[in-house]
CSV table of all heavy atoms in Angstrom, one decimal:
chain,number,residue,atom,x,y,z
E,11,ILE,N,116.7,79.7,69.2
E,11,ILE,CA,117.5,79.9,70.4
E,11,ILE,C,118.6,78.9,70.5
E,11,ILE,O,119.7,79.2,71.0
E,11,ILE,CB,116.5,79.9,71.7
E,11,ILE,CG1,115.7,81.1,71.8
E,11,ILE,CG2,117.3,79.6,72.9
E,11,ILE,CD1,114.8,81.2,73.0
E,12,GLU,N,118.3,77.7,70.1
E,12,GLU,CA,119.4,76.6,70.2
E,12,GLU,C,120.6,76.9,69.4
E,12,GLU,O,121.7,76.4,69.6
E,12,GLU,CB,118.8,75.3,69.9
E,12,GLU,CG,117.8,74.7,70.9
E,12,GLU,CD,117.1,73.5,70.5
E,12,GLU,OE1,117.3,73.0,69.4
E,12,GLU,OE2,116.2,73.1,71.3
E,13,GLY,N,120.4,77.7,68.3
E,13,GLY,CA,121.5,78.1,67.5
E,13,GLY,C,122.1,79.5,67.9
E,13,GLY,O,123.0,80.0,67.2
E,14,GLN,N,121.6,80.2,68.9
E,14,GLN,CA,122.0,81.5,69.3
E,14,GLN,C,122.1,81.6,70.8
E,14,GLN,O,121.6,82.5,71.5
E,14,GLN,CB,120.9,82.5,68.8
E,14,GLN,CG,120.6,82.5,67.3
E,14,GLN,CD,121.8,83.1,66.5
E,14,GLN,OE1,122.6,83.8,67.1
E,14,GLN,NE2,121.8,82.9,65.2
E,15,THR,N,122.9,80.7,71.4
E,15,THR,CA,123.1,80.6,72.8
E,15,THR,C,123.8,81.9,73.4
E,15,THR,O,123.7,82.1,74.6
E,15,THR,CB,123.8,79.4,73.2
E,15,THR,OG1,125.1,79.3,72.5
E,15,THR,CG2,123.0,78.1,72.9
E,16,ASP,N,124.5,82.6,72.6
E,16,ASP,CA,125.1,83.8,73.0
E,16,ASP,C,124.2,85.0,73.1
E,16,ASP,O,124.4,86.0,73.8
E,16,ASP,CB,126.3,84.2,72.1
E,16,ASP,CG,125.9,84.5,70.7
E,16,ASP,OD1,125.0,83.8,70.2
E,16,ASP,OD2,126.5,85.4,70.1
E,17,ARG,N,123.0,84.8,72.4
E,17,ARG,CA,122.0,85.9,72.4
E,17,ARG,C,120.8,85.7,73.3
E,17,ARG,O,120.2,86.6,73.8
E,17,ARG,CB,121.5,86.0,71.0
E,17,ARG,CG,122.5,86.6,70.0
E,17,ARG,CD,121.8,86.6,68.6
E,17,ARG,NE,122.7,87.2,67.6
E,17,ARG,CZ,122.7,88.4,67.2
E,17,ARG,NH1,122.0,89.3,67.8
E,17,ARG,NH2,123.5,88.8,66.2
E,18,PHE,N,120.5,84.4,73.6
E,18,PHE,CA,119.2,84.1,74.3
E,18,PHE,C,119.5,83.0,75.4
E,18,PHE,O,120.3,82.1,75.2
E,18,PHE,CB,118.2,83.6,73.4
E,18,PHE,CG,117.7,84.5,72.3
E,18,PHE,CD1,118.1,84.3,71.0
E,18,PHE,CD2,117.0,85.6,72.6
E,18,PHE,CE1,117.8,85.2,70.0
E,18,PHE,CE2,116.6,86.5,71.6
E,18,PHE,CZ,117.0,86.3,70.3
E,19,GLU,N,118.7,83.2,76.5
E,19,GLU,CA,118.7,82.2,77.5
E,19,GLU,C,117.2,81.9,77.8
E,19,GLU,O,116.5,82.8,78.3
E,19,GLU,CB,119.4,82.6,78.8
E,19,GLU,CG,119.3,81.6,79.9
E,19,GLU,CD,119.9,82.1,81.2
E,19,GLU,OE1,120.4,83.2,81.3
E,19,GLU,OE2,119.8,81.3,82.2
E,20,LEU,N,116.7,80.7,77.6
E,20,LEU,CA,115.3,80.4,77.8
E,20,LEU,C,115.1,80.0,79.2
E,20,LEU,O,115.6,78.9,79.7
E,20,LEU,CB,114.9,79.2,76.8
E,20,LEU,CG,113.4,78.9,76.8
E,20,LEU,CD1,112.6,80.1,76.3
E,20,LEU,CD2,113.2,77.7,75.9
E,21,VAL,N,114.5,80.8,80.0
E,21,VAL,CA,114.3,80.6,81.4
E,21,VAL,C,113.0,80.0,81.8
E,21,VAL,O,112.8,79.6,83.0
E,21,VAL,CB,114.6,81.9,82.2
E,21,VAL,CG1,116.1,82.4,82.0
E,21,VAL,CG2,113.6,83.0,81.8
E,22,LEU,N,112.0,80.0,80.9
E,22,LEU,CA,110.7,79.4,81.2
E,22,LEU,C,110.2,78.8,79.9
E,22,LEU,O,110.2,79.5,78.9
E,22,LEU,CB,109.7,80.4,81.8
E,22,LEU,CG,108.3,79.8,82.1
E,22,LEU,CD1,108.4,78.8,83.3
E,22,LEU,CD2,107.3,80.9,82.5
E,23,ASP,N,109.7,77.6,79.9
E,23,ASP,CA,109.1,76.9,78.8
E,23,ASP,C,107.9,76.2,79.3
E,23,ASP,O,108.0,75.0,79.7
E,23,ASP,CB,110.2,76.0,78.1
E,23,ASP,CG,109.7,75.3,76.9
E,23,ASP,OD1,108.5,75.5,76.5
E,23,ASP,OD2,110.5,74.6,76.3
E,24,GLU,N,106.8,76.8,79.3
E,24,GLU,CA,105.6,76.3,80.0
E,24,GLU,C,104.4,76.3,79.1
E,24,GLU,O,104.1,77.2,78.3
E,24,GLU,CB,105.3,77.2,81.2
E,24,GLU,CG,104.2,76.6,82.1
E,24,GLU,CD,104.8,75.6,83.1
E,24,GLU,OE1,106.0,75.5,83.3
E,24,GLU,OE2,104.0,75.0,83.8
E,25,SER,N,103.6,75.2,79.1
E,25,SER,CA,102.4,75.1,78.3
E,25,SER,C,101.2,75.5,79.2
E,25,SER,O,101.2,75.5,80.4
E,25,SER,CB,102.2,73.6,77.8
E,25,SER,OG,101.9,72.8,78.8
E,26,PHE,N,100.1,75.8,78.5
E,26,PHE,CA,98.8,76.0,79.2
E,26,PHE,C,97.7,75.5,78.3
E,26,PHE,O,97.9,75.3,77.1
E,26,PHE,CB,98.6,77.5,79.4
E,26,PHE,CG,98.5,78.4,78.2
E,26,PHE,CD1,97.3,78.6,77.5
E,26,PHE,CD2,99.7,79.0,77.7
E,26,PHE,CE1,97.3,79.4,76.4
E,26,PHE,CE2,99.7,79.8,76.6
E,26,PHE,CZ,98.5,80.0,75.9
E,27,GLU,N,96.5,75.2,78.8
E,27,GLU,CA,95.4,74.6,78.1
E,27,GLU,C,94.7,75.7,77.3
E,27,GLU,O,94.4,76.8,77.9
E,27,GLU,CB,94.5,73.9,79.0
E,27,GLU,CG,95.1,72.6,79.6
E,27,GLU,CD,95.7,71.7,78.6
E,27,GLU,OE1,94.9,71.3,77.6
E,27,GLU,OE2,96.8,71.3,78.8
E,28,HIS,N,94.4,75.5,76.1
E,28,HIS,CA,93.6,76.4,75.3
E,28,HIS,C,92.3,76.6,75.9
E,28,HIS,O,91.6,75.7,76.4
E,28,HIS,CB,93.5,75.8,73.9
E,28,HIS,CG,92.7,76.6,72.9
E,28,HIS,ND1,92.8,78.0,72.8
E,28,HIS,CD2,91.8,76.3,71.9
E,28,HIS,CE1,92.1,78.5,71.9
E,28,HIS,NE2,91.4,77.5,71.3
E,29,LEU,N,91.8,77.9,75.9
E,29,LEU,CA,90.5,78.3,76.5
E,29,LEU,C,90.5,78.1,78.0
E,29,LEU,O,89.5,77.8,78.6
E,29,LEU,CB,89.4,77.7,75.8
E,29,LEU,CG,89.2,77.9,74.3
E,29,LEU,CD1,88.0,77.2,73.7
E,29,LEU,CD2,89.1,79.4,74.0
E,30,SER,N,91.7,78.3,78.6
E,30,SER,CA,91.7,78.3,80.1
E,30,SER,C,90.9,79.4,80.7
E,30,SER,O,90.8,80.5,80.1
E,30,SER,CB,93.1,78.4,80.6
E,30,SER,OG,93.9,77.3,80.1
E,31,SER,N,90.3,79.2,81.8
E,31,SER,CA,89.5,80.2,82.4
E,31,SER,C,90.3,81.2,83.3
E,31,SER,O,89.8,82.2,83.7
E,31,SER,CB,88.3,79.6,83.2
E,31,SER,OG,88.9,78.7,84.3
E,32,ASP,N,91.5,80.7,83.7
E,32,ASP,CA,92.3,81.5,84.7
E,32,ASP,C,93.8,81.3,84.3
E,32,ASP,O,94.2,80.2,84.3
E,32,ASP,CB,92.0,81.2,86.1
E,32,ASP,CG,92.7,82.1,87.1
E,32,ASP,OD1,93.3,83.1,86.7
E,32,ASP,OD2,92.7,81.7,88.3
E,33,HIS,N,94.4,82.5,84.1
E,33,HIS,CA,95.9,82.4,83.7
E,33,HIS,C,96.8,82.9,84.8
E,33,HIS,O,98.0,83.1,84.6
E,33,HIS,CB,96.1,83.2,82.4
E,33,HIS,CG,95.5,82.5,81.2
E,33,HIS,ND1,96.2,81.7,80.4
E,33,HIS,CD2,94.3,82.6,80.7
E,33,HIS,CE1,95.5,81.2,79.4
E,33,HIS,NE2,94.3,81.8,79.6
E,34,THR,N,96.2,83.2,86.0
E,34,THR,CA,97.0,83.9,87.1
E,34,THR,C,98.2,83.0,87.5
E,34,THR,O,99.3,83.6,87.6
E,34,THR,CB,96.1,84.2,88.3
E,34,THR,OG1,95.0,85.0,87.9
E,34,THR,CG2,96.9,84.9,89.4
E,35,SER,N,98.0,81.7,87.7
E,35,SER,CA,99.1,80.9,88.2
E,35,SER,C,100.2,80.8,87.2
E,35,SER,O,101.4,80.8,87.5
E,35,SER,CB,98.6,79.5,88.6
E,35,SER,OG,98.0,78.9,87.4
E,36,LEU,N,99.8,80.8,85.9
E,36,LEU,CA,100.8,80.8,84.8
E,36,LEU,C,101.6,82.1,84.9
E,36,LEU,O,102.9,82.1,84.7
E,36,LEU,CB,100.1,80.6,83.5
E,36,LEU,CG,101.0,80.6,82.2
E,36,LEU,CD1,101.8,79.3,82.2
E,36,LEU,CD2,100.2,80.8,81.0
E,37,ILE,N,101.0,83.2,85.0
E,37,ILE,CA,101.7,84.5,85.0
E,37,ILE,C,102.5,84.7,86.3
E,37,ILE,O,103.6,85.3,86.2
E,37,ILE,CB,100.7,85.7,84.8
E,37,ILE,CG1,100.0,85.6,83.5
E,37,ILE,CG2,101.4,87.0,84.9
E,37,ILE,CD1,100.9,85.5,82.3
E,38,VAL,N,102.1,84.1,87.4
E,38,VAL,CA,102.9,84.1,88.6
E,38,VAL,C,104.3,83.4,88.3
E,38,VAL,O,105.3,83.8,88.7
E,38,VAL,CB,102.2,83.5,89.7
E,38,VAL,CG1,103.1,83.2,90.9
E,38,VAL,CG2,101.1,84.4,90.2
E,39,LYS,N,104.2,82.3,87.5
E,39,LYS,CA,105.4,81.6,87.2
E,39,LYS,C,106.3,82.5,86.3
E,39,LYS,O,107.5,82.5,86.4
E,39,LYS,CB,105.1,80.3,86.4
E,39,LYS,CG,104.6,79.2,87.3
E,39,LYS,CD,104.4,77.9,86.4
E,39,LYS,CE,103.8,76.8,87.3
E,39,LYS,NZ,103.6,75.6,86.5
E,40,VAL,N,105.7,83.2,85.4
E,40,VAL,CA,106.4,84.1,84.5
E,40,VAL,C,107.1,85.2,85.4
E,40,VAL,O,108.3,85.5,85.2
E,40,VAL,CB,105.5,84.8,83.5
E,40,VAL,CG1,106.3,85.9,82.7
E,40,VAL,CG2,104.9,83.8,82.6
E,41,ARG,N,106.5,85.7,86.4
E,41,ARG,CA,107.1,86.7,87.3
E,41,ARG,C,108.2,86.1,88.0
E,41,ARG,O,109.3,86.8,88.2
E,41,ARG,CB,106.0,87.2,88.2
E,41,ARG,CG,106.5,88.4,89.1
E,41,ARG,CD,105.4,88.8,90.1
E,41,ARG,NE,105.0,87.8,91.0
E,41,ARG,CZ,104.0,87.9,91.9
E,41,ARG,NH1,103.3,89.1,91.9
E,41,ARG,NH2,103.7,86.9,92.7
E,42,SER,N,108.1,84.9,88.4
E,42,SER,CA,109.2,84.3,89.3
E,42,SER,C,110.5,84.1,88.6
E,42,SER,O,111.5,84.0,89.3
E,42,SER,CB,108.7,82.9,89.8
E,42,SER,OG,108.6,81.9,88.8
């Protein structure tokens, strides 16, 4: 992406913990 700024805009860059029990809050961020 850093070499293709005319093609992509990174609007979310978020980590999550491996083997999380609930991903709802993460997906709410994706929706936003």
Side-chain angles (χ1 to χ4, degrees):
I11 286 182
E12 288 170 6
Q14 302 288 342
T15 55
D16 61 323
R17 291 178 179 268
F18 300 106
E19 179 186 358
L20 188 61
V21 296
L22 182 68
D23 182 356
E24 189 84 12
S25 68
F26 61 89
E27 294 306 310
H28 180 38
L29 299 179
S30 298
S31 60
D32 186 7
H33 290 266
T34 301
S35 61
L36 180 70
I37 298 303
V38 168
K39 288 184 181 179
V40 173
R41 184 179 64 184
S42 70

